[in-house]
Amino acid sequence: MASGEKQALIPKAIIHHKFGVEASYRTEEVHVPSQSSCLYRCHLQLPDFSVVSNVFKSKQDSEQSAAELALEKLGIHPQDDHTTVEESFDDIVERIKFIFSDEFLSADHPLGSHLRATLQRDGERHGSVPVSVIATFDSKINCLCKVIDPSMDADPTVAMSYVMKAAAKLWDCIVVSPPGDSLQRKNPYPPAIIEGLGLAATHVENIRVEAVHIKCTKRDEEVLEPVTLDVSSDRYYLDAIAEKLGLKDASQVMISRAISKTFSGYECRVYSAIPKLTSSSDLNKSRNAKASFVCGQDIHGDAIFASVGYTERSHDLQHDDVTLKSFYRICCGMSPNGIYKISRKALIAAQLPLLFTRESNWRGPFPREILSMFCHQQQLAEPVFTISTAPGKSMSDLLSSYNKIKDDSDSQNWSRGNWKMPGSGKGFRCEVKIFSKSQDLVFDCSLKKLYEKENDAIQNAALKALSWFSMFFGDMDVESLEACHTEDDLNIQFNQSNRFKETFPSSRVYHLPDIIRKGNWFESRSRGMPWEKKRVQKIANGSMVSICYSVYLKKDAESSKKGKSMKELIESNEGIEFEVGHSMNPHLESVITQMYVGQHVCFSTGLPAEALVLAAANDTAKALSFLSDYESLEYSVLLLGVKGPTEERMEKANIVEKVRSLIETSL
């Protein structure tokens, strides 16, 4: 935006300007019996809150309604939103002035809680609020900074620099604390206000919070250790974190965006040292890849991963323990495959299905939902799905083509009246596009196959995108990833001009793998099982199977120092359902399809990635201590039940396959 330019924007455009890809829209269909057509309701998720629109006849109207509700909650009026860069900076100045006012001190706002906590400090740090805290926890300042410089999403120090510049204009009421990383009110708060808020209370509540310390060694290795933070009620919790990081105080702590609420009551964040702006060229030497993978921004040096802080709903400190297991599970949940594994509570046994056949057979969140979750985690825009229709070929059309090649009598056995192939009549085809935070096209996947139902086309397009992204983020379970498409199934475009690191901030892979860069990503990446060619499948693809299983780390007697086999349970499930052919790891599924109901089987495979084992293990610290002693996994499986696909579906599939086979053979 030019410095003097003014422009009126519609509500959704204002939300985009202020939040970018942090604004996530999810539209759902609402079926009302009295309405002949479908209605829509929109859920809008912003960093600090969410809103839900009323129902409308169009998706666009529901999204605009959600944006209007969000603006009302933010106190922004669309008709008045004619903002220039200069005006935005002036608004930052006024906002900082208000933050240090008497009124704001009692506000139900995370920043108000930080202010109150710093007033319990002693000495020169009394009432001194870190600039990083203001830049992180005040959404209005964040929005204003994005208007001035949209690049602040990639570099949190940008917002900090604008806060400092704005504070310099308030020299008569704000003091910049040395070494320049904290702000402090110049005149003390009135004693009556301090007493009214109970800030002078002498009772101290002892609070100890478990967290994870991510240490970087001199050899660029990472060591994860549990750490306990002493964040008692008379101590500012960021000072406790700074102490563990070897920093002077909270003013030197950089705070990441919120990571996850999946495994703790409060949101998880990564805390590290603020990089010195004057030495950015040297920062890569101490970059912490593990922390960067989790929080989506560069971390330099040691880091603390913790769940502690303030919310709008409570003045009290909110906290939850984060164990090594929590940390590894969150790492796992940053990939599409991991999101599905966690939702199925089967990190070792499950894998993202290769196909979406029908809703009744699917278990876990649908592909479209998983893709939205993944994009939100990676700070990408909400996926855009486009549906097109085309006439499909019926069974009679295929038979007519075949009859031109082969004698009519040979094909009469396959003619079944009005049988039609999936997608016959009018078929649906779906394209999914994913854009970066700057609205550049990152990924474009269009299915060539036609589907009878619109939802099937959408879910399969989402699933193809998820499978593709798993090639980058599935390094925790790389062995289970197989080729799931052929080049005839879909067209895929990946914008290689974008730096991979910038497009996917949470990925540890910052270059395109050879298999994709050379254009042959359809080749299988899985290792073939030794019995794969010999096995005879008894349970048909499409069947719903229920199993009970346990997975152990195992070391054979001849390899063990104790002279006997060693086993350690890492995952078990008393009953899990899945569709044969798509949704469990290939080792497990290959064995199950040869079993009969009631049969119990044990078999062994190689070890998966260490992080996956640690995420699954009940006692991560214990597993970490003995993991190197084990050499394989042992599965113990009991087949509880099998529900085969309907006869109609099987017969239809068989007819289609035979006709296709006959035509291909003749050609």
Side-chain angles (χ1 to χ4, degrees), residues 152-156 254-257 270 272 287-289 291-300 379 501 505-506 510:
M152 65 160 284
D153 274 335
D155 185 359
M254 185 170 74
I255 309 164
S256 79
R257 64 183 177 86
V270 175
S272 62
R287 184 177 171 276
N288 188 320
S292 179
F293 169 67
V294 176
C295 74
Q297 67 187 42
D298 282 351
I299 301 298
H300 307 277
Q379 302 181 63
K501 175 180 174 182
S506 292
Y510 293 152

Side-chain angles (χ1 to χ4, degrees), residues 170-471:
L170 297 169
W171 56 269
D172 57 334
C173 58
I174 301 295
V175 175
V176 179
S177 303
D181 294 325
S182 293
L183 302 184
Q184 191 175 12
R185 175 168 158 146
K186 191 170 186 177
N187 299 318
Y189 288 96
I193 293 179
I194 300 295
E195 293 175 3
L197 292 173
L199 299 181
T202 57
H203 173 70
V204 177
E205 180 184 359
N206 293 321
I207 304 172
R208 295 172 69 84
V209 180
E210 289 185 34
V212 174
H213 195 172
I214 308 170
K215 296 183 176 180
C216 289
T217 67
K218 293 181 179 179
R219 294 178 295 180
D220 289 333
E221 296 176 347
E222 291 175 349
V223 177
L224 303 183
E225 294 180 353
V227 65
T228 301
L229 304 175
D230 179 6
V231 292
S232 301
S233 58
D234 65 336
R235 187 183 190 193
Y236 188 31
Y237 80 92
L238 281 174
D239 285 336
I241 291 176
E243 180 183 289
K244 294 297 182 182
L245 291 172
L247 305 175
K248 179 183 177 182
D249 57 46
S251 66
Q252 298 179 354
V253 176
M254 185 170 74
I255 309 164
S256 79
R257 64 183 177 86
I259 307 295
S260 171
K261 292 185 180 180
T262 306
F263 306 109
S264 63
Y266 183 71
E267 59 197 14
C268 299
R269 293 179 185 269
V270 175
Y271 302 86
S272 62
I274 296 175
K276 293 186 180 299
L277 301 180
T278 57
S279 57
S280 59
S281 60
D282 298 326
L283 290 176
N284 286 334
K285 296 179 181 179
S286 60
R287 184 177 171 276
N288 188 320
K290 179 75 74 174
S292 179
F293 169 67
V294 176
C295 74
Q297 67 187 42
D298 282 351
I299 301 298
H300 307 277
D302 289 1
I304 298 288
F305 187 83
S307 175
V308 57
Y310 299 104
T311 68
E312 292 183 358
R313 295 176 292 277
S314 174
H315 286 193
D316 298 327
L317 189 70
Q318 303 297 304
H319 58 88
D320 204 346
D321 290 336
V322 176
T323 62
L324 288 173
K325 181 182 179 71
S326 301
F327 178 80
Y328 279 111
R329 285 175 66 86
I330 290 174
C331 287
C332 180
M334 298 302 287
S335 72
N337 201 26
I339 294 172
Y340 181 78
K341 283 173 170 288
I342 290 173
S343 72
R344 298 284 276 134
K345 298 180 180 179
L347 274 71
I348 303 296
Q351 75 170 29
L352 189 67
L354 305 181
L355 295 172
F356 182 90
T357 53
R358 51 180 177 172
E359 293 186 15
S360 60
N361 278 17
W362 187 268
R363 297 294 183 269
F366 286 152
R368 182 175 185 174
E369 182 181 350
I370 297 175
L371 185 59
S372 294
M373 293 169 62
F374 172 75
C375 290
H376 182 69
Q377 288 175 343
Q378 302 305 319
Q379 302 181 63
L380 298 171
E382 191 75 8
V384 178
F385 294 90
T386 304
I387 290 291
S388 59
T389 58
K393 287 190 176 182
S394 67
M395 178 64 69
S396 58
D397 293 332
L398 283 177
L399 289 174
S400 296
S401 300
Y402 175 68
N403 288 339
K404 295 178 181 178
I405 304 170
K406 198 171 178 65
D407 186 74
D408 291 344
S409 60
D410 292 335
S411 62
Q412 287 177 354
N413 292 330
W414 308 118
S415 181
R416 296 294 184 93
N418 293 323
W419 276 111
K420 293 184 178 181
M421 288 185 61
S424 61
K426 183 175 73 172
F428 295 94
R429 181 180 288 125
C430 183
E431 177 185 28
V432 56
K433 292 183 178 181
I434 298 176
F435 296 87
S436 70
K437 60 181 68 178
S438 58
Q439 294 301 302
D440 293 324
L441 180 63
V442 173
F443 180 82
D444 187 353
C445 170
S446 58
L447 300 181
K448 292 182 179 179
K449 182 178 179 181
L450 295 176
Y451 293 86
E452 287 181 316
K453 298 180 179 179
E454 179 178 341
N455 184 59
D456 288 350
I458 292 173
Q459 299 296 351
N460 272 288
L463 188 54
K464 302 304 184 187
L466 289 169
S467 299
W468 192 87
F469 284 124
S470 289
M471 299 190 68

Side-chain angles (χ1 to χ4, degrees), residues 3-265:
S3 60
E5 180 184 353
K6 293 188 176 184
Q7 184 178 8
L9 302 173
I10 61 175
K12 193 174 177 181
I14 297 172
I15 291 293
H16 174 71
H17 269 283
K18 296 184 181 299
F19 294 95
V21 295
E22 289 184 310
S24 175
Y25 295 86
R26 180 174 62 84
T27 305
E28 63 174 339
E29 294 184 355
V30 179
H31 298 278
V32 181
S34 60
Q35 296 282 340
S36 57
S37 59
C38 186
L39 301 177
Y40 298 92
R41 178 188 292 120
C42 180
H43 300 253
L44 171 57
Q45 178 67 54
L46 296 177
D48 295 327
F49 63 89
S50 62
V51 294
V52 181
S53 75
N54 292 322
V55 292
F56 293 86
K57 291 184 178 180
S58 71
K59 294 181 180 179
Q60 291 80 5
D61 288 344
S62 68
E63 290 177 351
Q64 290 293 352
S65 172
E68 288 177 1
L69 292 173
L71 292 177
E72 288 179 8
K73 196 165 185 177
L74 290 169
I76 299 173
H77 302 288
Q79 63 272 21
D80 300 330
D81 197 78
H82 299 265
T83 306
T84 64
V85 169
E86 289 85 355
E87 289 170 342
S88 295
F89 183 75
D90 291 341
D91 288 343
I92 294 176
V93 174
E94 290 301 314
R95 179 64 179 174
I96 293 174
K97 185 176 182 180
F98 175 68
I99 287 172
F100 287 92
S101 66
D102 294 349
E103 297 85 351
F104 190 80
L105 186 59
S106 60
D108 292 330
H109 189 286
L111 200 51
S113 296
H114 280 271
L115 267 168
R116 293 187 288 272
T118 62
L119 287 171
Q120 295 182 342
R121 290 163 133 188
D122 295 326
E124 63 178 11
R125 296 183 301 169
H126 178 79
S128 180
V129 182
V131 173
S132 59
V133 170
I134 298 174
T136 301
F137 295 106
D138 193 80
S139 59
K140 291 187 177 180
I141 286 181
N142 261 269
C143 294
L144 293 167
C145 288
K146 287 177 185 177
V147 173
I148 300 173
D149 189 346
S151 70
M152 65 160 284
D153 274 335
D155 185 359
T157 61
V158 171
M160 293 171 58
S161 67
Y162 284 116
V163 170
M164 292 297 298
K165 291 176 182 178
K169 290 183 172 291
L170 297 169
W171 56 269
D172 57 334
C173 58
I174 301 295
V175 175
V176 179
S177 303
D181 294 325
S182 293
L183 302 184
Q184 191 175 12
R185 175 168 158 146
K186 191 170 186 177
N187 299 318
Y189 288 96
I193 293 179
I194 300 295
E195 293 175 3
L197 292 173
L199 299 181
T202 57
H203 173 70
V204 177
E205 180 184 359
N206 293 321
I207 304 172
R208 295 172 69 84
V209 180
E210 289 185 34
V212 174
H213 195 172
I214 308 170
K215 296 183 176 180
C216 289
T217 67
K218 293 181 179 179
R219 294 178 295 180
D220 289 333
E221 296 176 347
E222 291 175 349
V223 177
L224 303 183
E225 294 180 353
V227 65
T228 301
L229 304 175
D230 179 6
V231 292
S232 301
S233 58
D234 65 336
R235 187 183 190 193
Y236 188 31
Y237 80 92
L238 281 174
D239 285 336
I241 291 176
E243 180 183 289
K244 294 297 182 182
L245 291 172
L247 305 175
K248 179 183 177 182
D249 57 46
S251 66
Q252 298 179 354
V253 176
M254 185 170 74
I255 309 164
S256 79
R257 64 183 177 86
I259 307 295
S260 171
K261 292 185 180 180
T262 306
F263 306 109
S264 63

